Amino acid sequence: MNDFLNALGNFDSQLYLAIAEQRNPVTSVIAVALTYLNWDGFFWWILAFLLLRSRGLNRRGIAVTATVVFGMIDAWLLTELIKVIVRRPRPFEALANAPGALPAPETIIAHPSSYSFPSGDAALAMGAAVAFAYVTPKYRVPILLLGISAALARIVVGVHYPLDVLGGMTVGIASGLLAPRAIALLRRRLRWRAFVIPHTHWDREWYERFEGYRARLVPMVSRLLDVLERDPDFRSFTFDGQTIAIQDYLEKRPVDVPRVEALVRSNRLLIGPWHVLADLLLVSGESIVRNLQEGLRSAGELGRAARVAYVADPFGHPAQLPQILRAFGYDTYVFARGMGDEGESVGSEFWWVSPSGDRVRAAHLVDHYSNALPLVGPADEGPEALRRRVRAKTARILDRLTPYANGDALLLMVGDDHAEAYARLPEAVREMRQVFPNVDARIANLEDFAAAMPPLQHEVSGEITSGRYRPILRGVNSTRVWIKQENVTCERLLLEWCEPLDALTGGTARDELRDLWRMLLQNHPHDSICGCSIDAVHDVDMAPRFAYVRERGEALASRLLERLAGRGTSAMLWNPLPWARDAVVPVDGLPTRVRAGGLGLSPAAAAEGDSPVRTDGDAAIENGFFRVEVEADGSFFVIDKATRERSGRQNRLISEGDRGDEYTYSYAGPTVGSEGLAGARATSVSGDRATATVELVLRLPARLRDDRLARSPELVDCPVRMEISLDAGERRVDVTLQIDNRASDHRLRVLCETGTRALTHHTGAAFALLERSNRFEVRRRWIEPPTSEACLHDFVAVKGATKGLAVGVDGLREYSVLHDGGTIAITLLRAVGFLSRGDLPERHGHAGPELATPSAQCIGTRSYRYAVVPLDDETDVTRAARSVHEWLSPPLVLLGDGRSRTFVYFVDPATPLVLTALRAGPDGSLVLRLANPHREEASGELLFDRTIRASRPVDLREGDLGLGNTGLEVIRTAAPLDVDGDLARVRLQPYEIGTWIVHLA
């Protein structure tokens, strides 16, 4: 043993001398600087102070700072104790006094007086660094590198052997890892207020169909009502923010309406404010508003809606939601998914700020909405077993939740998917108080917790769509794309046709419209519209709901249009957009460029001006602005005829293997595409539209291999037909693509080159045109790391210094911006065969049951529409967005009396303001809603067909302050209209949503 120790000591000495010999002025200066910065933990104390300042002078801030301090001091004290025991001399002393020819190099700092092993400074640095890295994982790498550098500097300056530093680093690492656990034990002993929330998250349809789940819902709610009525200690129960589940129950048990009303009015049963738990990113902003309006109305019919906006499980949260919530009087939002690394900085309570500057108090359920489910035990559990279980589980719950709490209030969610009320919960809570007397635990509701939330010091801005704590599952943007297409069609039908027509014809169709919205909202729950349920949910239940809305909505719009247009045989135009415009529409079967007035009716007269379209052989089409040259593979280039500027390649198809599931895309090679294929081309002119048609066959791998690691060598033919069109007078290229998909397990995307590079891009979202980064950071420790794919509404644009590109889409909801802005990729379809899989590298664990979903392979004929808009000096992002809007909402040709009737329009069509709703209000009034989706203040002038008798701004309750019986005050409206006769001047702040009730003479 002595021989081994002597050999180790000799090796240590030789290594020390070798390092000393390699010193140079640069390394010496760096080592001296690190040594003095690390002296007595100098810069670690500074970093601890900055950490306290950033986290706030509250329990959480003090705890994380104490973790760093504990890791640092504990390491230093331990090394000082070991030094006294080991008593190893410093190298500059030992080598100077040692026999032989070993020279003792000069130290470059003053000689320390203590013993050498282990290095206290190395231990201090690593203890602080490891503890700091634990509490601030975002800075883990640089902090650990700083600690290691400070430790190694002790060798370079000549005051420690390498083994001294290694020993000190080991002690420091151990102390740094011990520090969070020690602080956790101390934290358990603090006084806490635990708000125990019994609840259920009731997926209306998912891995069972609606009626299957309702068969479980009815006995569950029946037993719940019995528990609440029988046990006054079971103070309350929360449905997961939606009202439709309790309505589904009452449809089967109408006799229980009085029981439910009594419990709701006595604050024992909390429902609402939402009608359904929608996916808030996939639906339009107006659908979010209708969801809240209907939820409040339904909850109010049973008593009142909850005064806290709670969402159990949507896969992300739109940027403008704080403004929407405030416009319903809400100031508190409780949610579970979506936080990234910022969650480590801000804790579980913070201000969530929308782009408009509106903010709400947000409570993040870090450990999800089932964080206290372990409190639930077997119904026949004995008292002693219950006590032991509660003791063990409560300790774990506290250790998980308290590190994120900014105050002394904890939110313990006792529930889960389709969970029943645990009748013995009051007993479990009493035991919790017994075994943890410092925890004031009580059964409560979210309103009680909201009243106890601490003063907030931190802010999170914009979208919440990250996957650090829970998977965000945004692969659903492109799962079963037909659902997203159908939903957009139905939303547009109700918002741009049925509601305005009803408002302009006296508001007689309110009940029909409510029925249509309620039916459409049934398709908005996250497991429904996301396409991540079993096949029968989507094909058997959802499809008929969409058909119901389409058929009855179109019949209603036709009936109201007929009433508005009058009897006659004159060709007329209905323009659903509030500005005059030229558009190409079919008149007598021929695409014709016509002039439409503002929102209203006008004769179908040809537009003024000469803007012919033509073809040039079988590979080029032209209008007055562009020449489009089409390749045999369906890709094309756009040439600006004025500047001769040639675009990048547009419309290239690629198919990538997908070994994922309905929630998450997972790449499997090889990638194949349309580039270089030789399709059949043809061009034609029909009226004011020139079209190039390309027909080709994509030969795609039939499926994945049996091992699911790559695509099969077997190929199948997938015929593709593309129609690339130029309308007269338009600076836009329209594309219709149809594919007979015969391949499984793949993702089909269309790539469009922007011709530029940029750091950011713009994309449509609910009530906003958002700017997003073209790059994302890889976060490997997240449950679901970020990807380049994101959700869009209608439009995405990349604008460089002088040029760029915008792509408009009809009902498609997934895109990527690649190559630093050089390429926009739009997902057309994603074919997968499983509801969930647990073997994906892109996500930890399952997202649902592993069930086969053959219909999600999207086999068969699929159609898609998108448009390409080059950006230049003539067309900026705002004009491109307006061009896409006009393409999505063309005028309708109908027969009528021929009289022009423009009801409302923007005097300046170039205004950035957007009309998002025009519907019937109370007493014959109009409800008018405008949004400014941009970061700059915007104004506009609206001209009505009659004198404005009166107007007033209202919030999103649209003047019905009793909606939901919440008692919440009006805290968010836009400025009043500046009215002058039939003219209304509007001014909206950046990203502001404004709603007014307008009475016309």
Side-chain angles (χ1 to χ4, degrees):
M1 188 63 173
N2 288 335
D3 291 340
F4 171 76
L5 293 176
N6 289 333
L8 188 61
N10 289 333
F11 172 77
D12 201 17
S13 299
Q14 293 294 334
L15 185 58
Y16 167 81
L17 292 171
I19 293 172
E21 188 176 346
Q22 297 301 315
R23 282 199 308 237
N24 60 54
V26 174
T27 58
S28 296
V29 168
I30 294 173
V32 170
L34 286 170
T35 295
Y36 282 109
L37 285 173
N38 191 50
W39 201 278
D40 290 335
F42 174 70
F43 62 65
W44 299 111
W45 288 107
I46 293 176
L47 288 177
F49 172 76
L50 294 175
L51 180 60
L52 177 62
R53 180 167 181 156
S54 69
R55 296 291 173 89
L57 191 60
N58 53 36
R59 287 190 175 202
R60 187 164 183 267
I62 293 170
V64 296
T65 306
T67 302
V68 175
V69 172
F70 184 96
M72 178 170 56
I73 293 179
D74 179 63
W76 181 79
L77 289 174
L78 189 57
T79 55
E80 291 303 306
L81 178 62
I82 297 173
K83 282 181 181 181
V84 174
I85 298 171
V86 176
R87 305 172 70 88
R88 186 184 193 187
R90 295 277 180 171
F92 52 79
E93 296 173 344
L95 294 179
N97 299 324
L102 285 176
E106 288 293 325
T107 62
I108 53 178
I109 63 169
H111 289 187
S113 59
S114 62
Y115 292 106
S116 187
F117 182 88
S119 169
D121 290 87
L124 182 149
M126 289 308 298
V130 170
F132 205 110
Y134 181 88
V135 297
T136 58
K138 182 178 180 180
Y139 304 107
R140 178 182 288 119
V141 173
I143 285 293
L144 289 176
L145 288 176
L146 182 61
I148 293 169
S149 300
L152 296 178
R154 302 296 289 173
I155 306 172
V156 178
V157 298
V159 298
H160 277 294
Y161 292 106
L163 285 182
D164 298 342
V165 170
L166 183 60
M169 291 175 68
T170 302
V171 172
I173 291 170
S175 296
L177 294 174
L178 176 65
R181 290 156 179 77
I183 297 300
L185 291 174
L186 293 174
R187 196 186 285 114
R188 283 187 197 175
R189 285 155 177 77
L190 297 176
R191 296 201 63 82
W192 298 98
R193 289 183 291 168
F195 294 84
V196 180
I197 314 293
H199 75 100
T200 189
H201 169 43
W202 201 268
D203 293 298
R204 197 165 184 259
E205 51 194 13
W206 182 20
Y207 55 85
E208 288 187 36
R209 294 176 59 189
F210 161 60
E211 286 298 347
Y213 277 131
R214 182 150 71 170
R216 295 159 57 181
L217 173 72
V218 170
M220 172 266 183
V221 175
S222 181
R223 287 190 289 269
L224 168 66
L225 299 181
D226 291 341
V227 168
L228 290 173
E229 291 171 340
R230 181 179 66 245
D231 187 355
D233 291 337
F234 204 118
R235 292 188 58 244
S236 69
F237 188 89
T238 299
F239 265 94
D240 49 358
Q242 60 182 334
T243 59
I244 197 169
I246 202 71
Q247 293 172 346
D248 291 338
Y249 170 79
L250 292 175
E251 283 182 8
K252 292 293 186 180
R253 297 280 180 87
V255 69
D256 282 341
V257 169
R259 300 175 69 194
V260 170
E261 288 179 342
L263 291 167
V264 170
R265 294 180 190 280
S266 61
N267 303 330
R268 302 284 306 286
L269 181 62
L270 271 74
I271 58 175
W274 307 92
H275 182 56
V276 298
L277 287 182
D279 184 275
L280 298 171
L281 294 178
L282 288 173
V283 303
S284 70
E286 283 294 335
S287 286
I288 296 174
V289 172
R290 301 305 194 282
N291 190 358
L292 277 165
Q293 289 175 338
E294 185 57 36
L296 289 168
R297 187 174 295 113
S298 299
E301 291 168 355
L302 292 172
R304 74 167 179 90
R307 299 186 183 97
V308 170
Y310 170 49
V311 289
D313 208 25
F315 308 151
H317 314 269
Q320 287 281 53
L321 191 55
Q323 183 180 181
I324 295 171
L325 293 173
R326 281 177 56 81
F328 279 96
Y330 283 85
D331 68 353
T332 306
Y333 186 63
V334 179
F335 70 100
R337 294 183 194 263
M339 292 293 283
D341 283 339
E342 67 276 7
E344 296 296 301
S345 300
V346 303
S348 54
E349 303 91 17
F350 54 88
W351 288 110
W352 181 24
V353 186
S354 71
S356 65
D358 292 276
R359 64 182 192 174
V360 294
R361 302 184 305 165
H364 173 215
L365 301 172
V366 177
D367 207 25
H368 214 45
Y369 53 77
S370 57
N371 60 30
L373 187 63
L375 293 179
V376 175
D380 58 352
E381 186 177 31
E384 187 56 37
L386 185 146
R387 174 182 282 260
R388 287 196 303 271
R389 182 176 53 79
V390 167
R391 178 189 294 275
K393 301 300 184 183
T394 301
R396 295 176 188 173
I397 292 169
L398 292 176
D399 288 346
R400 180 61 177 153
L401 300 185
T402 55
Y404 294 91
N406 286 304
D408 66 345
L410 302 175
L411 197 49
L412 274 61
M413 305 295 290
V414 182
D416 204 351
D417 298 350
H418 310 112
E420 295 210 17
Y422 177 45
R424 297 183 65 185
L425 185 61
E427 183 182 351
V429 171
R430 284 193 294 270
E431 290 296 340
M432 185 189 299
R433 289 198 297 267
Q434 289 290 324
V435 296
F436 285 90
N438 58 307
V439 177
D440 179 15
R442 58 193 177 98
I443 296 177
N445 58 50
L446 293 173
E447 295 171 1
D448 299 326
F449 171 78
M453 286 178 68
L456 304 180
Q457 300 174 323
H458 304 287
E459 290 185 351
V460 171
S461 298
E463 299 172 293
I464 298 180
T465 55
S466 298
R468 188 190 193 283
Y469 304 93
R470 299 288 299 179
I472 201 62
L473 308 174
R474 288 320 310 178
V476 298
N477 293 335
S478 54
T479 303
R480 304 183 198 255
V481 168
W482 70 267
I483 295 176
K484 286 72 171 174
Q485 293 172 304
E486 284 278 7
N487 182 67
V488 167
T489 298
C490 290
E491 288 179 331
R492 198 177 296 139
L493 172 63
L494 296 181
L495 293 169
E496 295 186 357
W497 296 83
C498 294
E499 287 190 339
L501 287 167
D502 174 56
L504 298 173
T505 53
T508 58
R510 282 190 180 88
D511 292 340
E512 288 180 79
L513 282 168
R514 185 183 181 190
D515 174 64
L516 292 174
W517 272 113
R518 284 173 63 91
M519 183 61 71
L520 182 58
L521 288 172
Q522 287 185 52
N523 278 352
H524 285 185
H526 52 277
D527 294 312
S528 304
I529 197 167
C530 288
C532 54
S533 298
I534 59 173
D535 290 343
V537 165
H538 305 296
D539 300 337
V540 180
D541 294 335
M542 290 184 67
R545 295 181 199 135
F546 283 131
Y548 181 97
V549 175
R550 263 198 336 271
E551 293 165 6
R552 294 172 189 258
E554 289 170 358
L556 173 62
S558 178
R559 188 172 76 245
L560 296 175
L561 265 175
E562 184 178 340
R563 185 188 311 173
L564 206 60
R567 295 181 179 274
T569 57
S570 300
M572 301 185 71
L573 300 171
W574 165 258
N575 182 9
L577 302 183
W579 60 81
R581 54 175 171 147
D582 293 346
V584 175
V585 297
V587 179
D588 296 328
L590 195 67
T592 305
R593 187 169 180 81
V594 296
R595 180 67 174 176
L599 193 153
L601 292 160
S602 57
E608 296 180 359
D610 185 21
S611 180
V613 294
R614 72 182 193 91
T615 65
D616 183 2
D618 64 357
I621 55 177
E622 297 183 24
N623 68 4
F625 299 113
F626 294 149
R627 173 183 172 86
V628 177
E629 297 178 352
V630 182
E631 301 290 308
D633 60 7
S635 63
F636 61 86
F637 299 88
V638 183
I639 297 94
D640 189 310
K641 297 173 74 171
T643 65
R644 309 308 300 169
E645 185 78 32
R646 184 182 180 88
S647 77
R649 186 182 296 273
Q650 313 298 323
N651 204 43
R652 182 164 61 92
L653 298 178
I654 61 167
S655 168
E656 304 153 299
D658 189 347
R659 59 186 295 267
D661 55 26
E662 291 185 329
Y663 296 97
T664 303
Y665 171 75
S666 183
Y667 177 76
T671 298
V672 296
S674 62
E675 187 171 5
L677 296 180
R681 287 177 292 182
T683 58
S684 63
V685 171
S686 177
D688 289 321
R689 177 171 294 152
T691 302
T693 302
V694 180
E695 294 185 349
L696 53 83
V697 174
L698 283 176
R699 302 208 71 208
L700 303 180
R703 64 189 65 84
L704 290 176
R705 295 186 328 212
D706 291 342
D707 62 8
R708 296 187 60 82
L709 296 178
R711 305 175 79 176
S712 165
E714 178 189 349
L715 301 180
V716 293
D717 291 345
C718 296
V720 178
R721 176 183 172 85
M722 308 176 195
E723 292 184 359
I724 302 155
S725 301
L726 271 178
D727 284 353
E730 295 293 347
R731 304 182 66 88
R732 184 189 69 237
V733 183
D734 305 334
V735 183
T736 299
L737 183 144
Q738 186 178 84
I739 180 171
D740 183 1
N741 180 45
R742 301 169 184 172
S744 300
D745 308 315
H746 74 116
R747 177 176 70 177
L748 183 68
R749 298 199 287 179
V750 58
L751 305 184
C752 299
E753 297 177 1
T754 67
T756 190
R757 293 290 188 272
L759 294 175
T760 62
H761 64 274
H762 291 85
T763 183
F767 295 120
L769 189 64
L770 298 179
E771 185 174 12
R772 292 172 175 157
S773 174
N774 290 340
R775 298 180 179 180
F776 63 93
E777 296 185 49
V778 177
R779 301 293 190 188
R780 300 194 184 280
R781 292 179 177 270
W782 287 17
I783 299 298
E784 185 179 8
T787 67
S788 63
E789 292 80 21
C791 184
L792 82 161
H793 287 200
D794 301 343
F795 173 83
V796 58
V798 175
K799 181 71 165 69
T802 59
K803 61 181 180 179
L805 188 78
V807 178
V809 297
D810 186 5
L812 305 175
R813 280 292 192 255
E814 182 176 278
Y815 79 100
S816 299
V817 172
L818 310 173
H819 314 134
D820 284 339
T823 304
I824 295 173
I826 304 294
T827 305
L828 302 181
L829 70 82
R830 199 164 74 81
V832 293
F834 287 91
L835 191 151
S836 175
R837 293 191 63 87
D839 57 354
L840 308 183
E842 293 80 6
R843 187 189 73 223
H844 293 294
H846 271 289
E850 187 169 327
L851 299 174
T853 54
S855 179
Q857 297 284 9
C858 299
I859 303 298
T861 301
R862 308 287 166 173
S863 297
Y864 310 97
R865 294 177 66 229
Y866 44 95
V868 173
V869 185
L871 303 180
D872 51 30
D873 293 338
E874 294 290 327
T875 307
D876 60 10
V877 172
T878 301
R879 289 186 178 182
R882 186 168 63 251
S883 176
V884 169
H885 197 174
E886 292 178 350
W887 166 69
L888 290 171
S889 304
L892 174 72
V893 179
L894 69 155
L895 298 179
D897 59 18
R899 290 192 303 111
S900 181
R901 292 184 285 282
T902 300
F903 299 100
V904 61
Y905 66 94
F906 283 113
V907 175
D908 180 7
T911 177
L913 299 181
V914 177
L915 175 68
T916 66
L918 180 66
R919 58 197 308 214
D923 303 321
S925 64
L926 301 177
V927 174
L928 172 74
R929 184 149 45 252
L930 302 173
N932 174 14
H934 301 276
R935 64 171 60 205
E936 299 85 18
E937 183 183 284
S939 60
E941 294 180 330
L942 277 171
L943 196 64
F944 289 83
D945 65 330
R946 287 174 283 164
T947 300
I948 301 171
R949 181 163 50 86
S951 71
R952 61 187 176 98
V954 293
D955 65 9
L956 291 177
R957 288 173 286 190
E958 298 175 356
D960 184 3
L961 298 185
L963 191 66
N965 297 325
T966 60
L968 299 174
E969 298 179 355
V970 175
I971 56 176
R972 180 65 169 90
T973 67
L977 298 174
D978 180 8
V979 174
D980 183 7
D982 56 0
L983 183 71
R985 297 182 181 87
V986 185
R987 182 175 296 277
L988 291 177
Q989 299 303 308
Y991 295 106
E992 186 175 24
I993 306 164
T995 307
W996 298 267
I997 291 181
V998 178
H999 293 268
L1000 302 178

